[in-house]
């Protein structure tokens, strides 16, 4: 096995279903220590959330400083009897390595570790002695769940120690169809809330004595959904508001309910801040309610803000490394859901580039052995160019 494939296998064999670590960080720490990194295991706690173990490792003391980020926690495997091989076997079969986390994102972490170790050895197999700058790893076990005791706190801890990051590569599975087709340079923000409409409970035979919130919440859902929030921006697709549930909590067929609720989520672009977005939706709600409907929005706290790494020297460097290995010039994309890049972007420019994400979170999640080799070469190319 190549180094990257062997590391991927060893990580998959740690059943680190969030928030469990199951030895995954230990695998990485041992490799990085052997390569000369100074390592730190840091555990964070907060009431109402699981304690999370994190790993920070760095080699070098000078700039420029590039960090590779990622998470070793994975989603549950689901029905393990439905897998063609063991969900945590790391078995190589038909050109793929199988197991939960192979794509999202133990394979990506393994490739970055293998590429860095190879880079530090130098082309002649001897340890580098030039003043190359610094390389670090920010690895958490808290990305697939609430993201409270992971990257956001690890970054704060590192900064308080005096760490400063110049650029970051996050190994999330960014490619859509084939290696080299996409780099994520930003993500839309995410904001959730609940629309609450107040009525008055009563008997269906005497509607004049009640106030039915069901027709009202239906009108408000249409009003808030129909009008676009914006028409997109230079780097982002349009924002969208999607209602996901409607609930009146009523089990009786002859009772008009007194309250109706509808949950929604907004994925918003850089036309808005979290504050301006909320103000816009509240304004539209007030207009739709008029003087008759009594409604409010209960907003949920959100740490998923919109971010963008503007195209420039760093993205050009990554594009050149990808194109030299794959022959493809990747699209600079801002599509998709949230990731820990939303936290990292407050500290330094960050791009997301990892494996092809087609099987992530699925039964029989798997990564191509060839893609793992390709990604390792790309990361090595990024390092060569970064420290040139």
């Amino acid at each position: 096995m190549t180094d990257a494939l062997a590391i991927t296998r060893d990580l998959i064999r740690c059943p680190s279903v969030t928030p469990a670590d199951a030895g995954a960080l230990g695998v990485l720490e041992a490799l990085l220590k052997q390569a000369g990194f100074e390592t730190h295991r840091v555990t964070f706690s907060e009431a109402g959330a699981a304690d999370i173990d994190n790993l920070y490792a760095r080699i070098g003391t000078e700039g420029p400083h590039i960090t590779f980020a990622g998470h070793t926690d994975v989603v549950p495997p689901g029905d393990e009897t439905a897998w063609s091989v063991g969900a945590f076997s790391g078995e190589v079969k038909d050109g793929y390595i199988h197991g939960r986390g192979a794509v999202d994102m133990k394979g990506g972490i393994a490739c970055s570790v293998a590429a860095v170790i190879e880079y530090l050895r130098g082309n002649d197999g001897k340890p580098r002695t030039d003043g190359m700058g610094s390389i670090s790893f920010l690895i958490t076990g808290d990305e697939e769940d609430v993201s409270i005791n992971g990257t956001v706190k690890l970054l704060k801890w590192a900064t308080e120690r005096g760490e400063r990051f110049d650029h970051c590569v996050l190994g999330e599975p960014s490619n859509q169809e084939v290696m080299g087709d996409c780099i994520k340079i930003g993500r839309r923000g995410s904001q959730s809330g609940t629309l609450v409409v107040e009525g008055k409970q009563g008997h269906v035979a005497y509607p004049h004595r009640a106030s039915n919130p069901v027709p009202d919440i239906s009108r408000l859902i249409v009003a808030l959904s129909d009008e676009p929030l914006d028409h997109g921006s230079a780097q982002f697709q349009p924002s969208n508001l999607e209602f996901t549930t409607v609930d009146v909590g009523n089990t009786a067929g002859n009772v008009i309910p007194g309250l109706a609720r509808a949950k929604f989520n907004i994925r918003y672009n850089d036309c808005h801040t979290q504050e301006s977005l909320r103000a816009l939706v509240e304004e539209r709600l007030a207009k739709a309610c008029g003087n008759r409907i009594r409604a409010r929005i209960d907003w949920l706290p959100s740490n998923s803000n919109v971010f963008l790494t503007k195209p420039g020297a760093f993205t050009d460097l990554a594009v050149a490394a990808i194109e030299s290995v794959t022959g493809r010039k990747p699209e600079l994309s801002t599509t998709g859901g949230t990731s820990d890049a939303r936290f990292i972007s407050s500290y330094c420019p960050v791009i997301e580039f990892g494996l092809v994400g087609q099987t992530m979170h699925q039964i029989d999640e798997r990564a191509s052995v060839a893609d793992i080799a390709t990604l390792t070469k790309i990361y090595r190319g990024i390092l060569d160019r970064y420290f040139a």
Side-chain angles (χ1 to χ4, degrees):
M1 280 191 173
T2 62
D3 289 345
L5 189 60
I7 298 168
T8 303
R9 175 202 61 197
D10 292 346
L11 289 174
I12 290 173
R13 289 178 176 177
C14 301
S16 52
V17 176
T18 190
D21 171 60
L25 292 180
V27 170
L28 298 176
E29 185 177 26
L31 289 167
L32 294 173
K33 273 187 175 180
Q34 188 176 10
F37 280 76
E38 179 183 330
T39 64
H40 303 270
R41 294 283 285 273
V42 192
T43 302
F44 298 113
S45 304
E46 187 167 319
D51 292 355
I52 298 296
D53 200 11
N54 302 271
L55 172 66
Y56 179 69
R58 177 172 177 168
I59 190 167
T61 57
E62 305 297 326
H65 180 182
I66 186 170
T67 187
F68 289 87
H71 63 90
T72 53
D73 62 318
V74 298
V75 297
D79 180 8
E80 293 193 53
T81 64
W83 287 68
S84 62
V85 299
F88 299 103
S89 67
E91 182 177 333
V92 177
K93 178 182 176 183
D94 299 328
Y96 290 85
I97 183 165
H98 294 249
R100 177 60 81 225
V103 169
D104 187 14
M105 57 168 289
K106 291 178 174 181
I109 293 174
C111 292
S112 62
V113 170
V116 167
I117 292 174
E118 180 184 298
Y119 176 78
L120 293 173
R121 289 179 185 145
N123 293 327
D124 57 3
K126 297 178 181 179
R128 287 181 178 269
T129 57
D130 54 341
M132 63 176 186
S134 299
I135 303 172
S136 65
F137 286 89
L138 285 158
I139 309 295
T140 184
D142 186 35
E143 196 271 350
E144 296 289 6
D145 194 17
V146 292
S147 299
I148 290 175
N149 289 320
T151 297
V152 64
K153 289 187 176 179
L154 187 60
L155 285 163
K156 184 174 183 292
W157 170 89
T159 302
E160 289 172 349
R161 284 172 42 87
E163 301 288 329
R164 297 292 182 270
F165 307 102
D166 292 312
H167 297 91
C168 177
V169 178
L170 177 61
E172 288 282 2
S174 61
N175 291 284
Q176 305 297 306
E177 302 290 337
V178 293
M179 288 297 299
D181 64 15
C182 184
I183 299 176
K184 301 288 187 182
I185 61 168
R187 299 276 188 161
R188 293 186 297 172
S190 177
Q191 173 64 66
S192 295
T194 302
L195 172 63
V196 182
V197 179
E198 298 179 20
K200 182 180 179 182
Q201 189 175 15
H203 197 291
V204 294
Y206 305 94
H208 58 286
R209 298 176 182 172
S211 178
N212 195 338
V214 175
D216 289 340
I217 201 168
S218 300
R219 294 186 186 98
L220 295 180
I221 288 173
V222 171
L224 293 179
S225 300
D226 274 3
E227 187 176 358
L229 292 167
D230 55 67
H231 297 286
S233 66
Q235 298 292 342
F236 288 92
Q237 66 192 92
S239 304
N240 62 292
L241 185 156
E242 302 296 334
F243 281 91
T244 56
T245 70
V246 180
D247 180 38
V248 296
N250 188 13
T251 58
N254 60 351
V255 176
I256 293 172
L259 201 70
R261 296 181 176 88
K263 293 182 179 180
F264 64 88
N265 178 264
I266 306 172
R267 295 301 167 102
Y268 64 96
N269 59 33
D270 56 353
C271 294
H272 314 271
T273 64
Q274 189 179 89
E275 293 73 21
S276 69
L277 177 74
R278 290 184 177 188
L280 174 62
V281 176
E282 295 272 10
E283 179 184 338
R284 292 184 177 180
L285 176 64
K287 180 180 177 181
C289 286
N291 296 321
R292 184 183 66 80
I293 302 175
R294 294 179 298 166
R296 69 178 190 274
I297 292 175
D298 293 338
W299 296 102
L300 290 177
S302 174
N303 56 13
S304 301
N305 296 316
V306 61
F307 77 90
L308 175 69
T309 295
K310 293 182 178 180
F314 184 53
T315 54
D316 290 347
L317 178 152
V319 167
I322 293 164
E323 194 169 11
S324 69
V325 176
T326 67
R328 301 181 185 90
K329 187 173 183 178
E331 175 191 0
L332 302 182
S333 171
T334 59
T335 60
T338 60
S339 73
D340 277 358
R342 67 190 189 273
F343 305 127
I344 301 167
S345 64
S346 299
Y347 293 81
C348 69
V350 55
I351 61 170
E352 297 179 42
F353 187 79
L355 294 166
V356 177
Q358 290 185 344
T359 63
M360 58 182 175
H361 293 202
Q362 294 183 7
I363 299 294
D364 277 344
E365 180 179 351
R366 59 199 178 276
S368 162
V369 172
D371 285 354
I372 287 174
T374 297
L375 182 57
T376 305
K377 289 178 183 177
I378 291 170
Y379 285 157
R380 173 65 194 270
I382 288 175
L383 289 166
D384 287 335
R385 288 166 173 79
Y386 192 79
F387 294 113

